[in-house]
Amino acid sequence: MIAAVLLVAAAGATSFAWWGNPRMSEGGLIGPGEGMSWANDGVTNTRMVVRGRHAATVTATFSVRNDGHLPFTLHGLDVDTFEWLSHQQVTFEPGIPGFNGSATTTKQLTLAPGEEATVHWSLTMTCQPPPSEGGFITIDFLRFRLSWLGIATTRDLPLKQPITFTSDNEVPGVPPC
C-alpha cells in the first residue's frame, strides 16, 4: 500500500514538473540596433552582423514568450559560459513596443503563460578583443537566468537570426579599455 502511494506521488510530481516546466520561445520581434546590420541570402534576412568595432556598444532587440503553463520570472542573462560575451546585458519591457503603451524597461520581469516581452540586448565592445583576421564569433542563443516556483534555473533561447561578429572593415575609433 505504501509503495503504491509513493509510486502515485512520484508519478504526480513528475507529471507536474513536466507540465509546469518553464518553456521559453522566441517571440515575433527581432531587430538589429546600433553597430549592427542585416545579412541576407537574397531572399530573407538570415543573421545580424557586427563588422569590426564601429560602436562602443552594439544593440539588438528580441522578444521572448512564455509557452509554458505557469509564470516564470526572467532575471537577465547567464553570461558565465564564454568570456568574450561576458559584457552582455539585457533589460526587459512588458509586451511588444507599440502594443503595450509602456516604454518602461526593467532588470527582471515575470511572464504569465502566453505573455510576450521585449528584450533589449547590448554588448559593450570597448574591451573586447577583435576576432582573428578573417575570423568570426557567432551567438546562436541567449542563455537566460529565470526562476519558476522559487527554483532558479537557466533556459536557452535559440536565435532564428543569430548575431555574427567579424573582423571585416575593422575601423579604429572604439575607445580603449
Side-chain angles (χ1 to χ4, degrees), residues 90-94 100 102-109 118-120:
V90 292
T91 57
F92 305 105
E93 182 180 337
N100 64 350
S102 168
T104 304
T105 60
T106 63
K107 296 280 187 186
Q108 69 179 32
L109 180 72
T118 301
V119 178
H120 301 281

Side-chain angles (χ1 to χ4, degrees), residues 11-118:
T14 302
S15 296
F16 177 76
W18 174 83
W19 177 83
N21 196 12
R23 293 187 192 114
M24 182 172 61
S25 67
E26 187 173 46
L29 179 68
I30 303 170
E34 185 177 344
M36 235 183 250
S37 61
W38 283 114
N40 66 53
D41 60 6
V43 177
T44 186
N45 293 327
T46 57
R47 67 183 53 249
M48 292 175 267
V49 179
V50 177
R51 289 182 167 86
R53 296 182 338 147
H54 301 287
T57 302
V58 293
T59 63
T61 305
F62 303 94
S63 60
V64 295
R65 182 176 35 252
N66 180 350
D67 283 342
H69 300 287
L70 297 172
F72 60 77
T73 301
L74 294 162
H75 296 281
L77 292 175
D78 178 18
V79 293
D80 297 332
T81 55
F82 184 43
E83 177 64 29
W84 200 86
L85 299 173
S86 64
H87 297 282
Q88 295 181 86
Q89 296 181 13
V90 292
T91 57
F92 305 105
E93 182 180 337
I96 298 176
F99 293 101
N100 64 350
S102 168
T104 304
T105 60
T106 63
K107 296 280 187 186
Q108 69 179 32
L109 180 72
T110 300
L111 287 178
E115 284 187 337
E116 194 166 339
T118 301

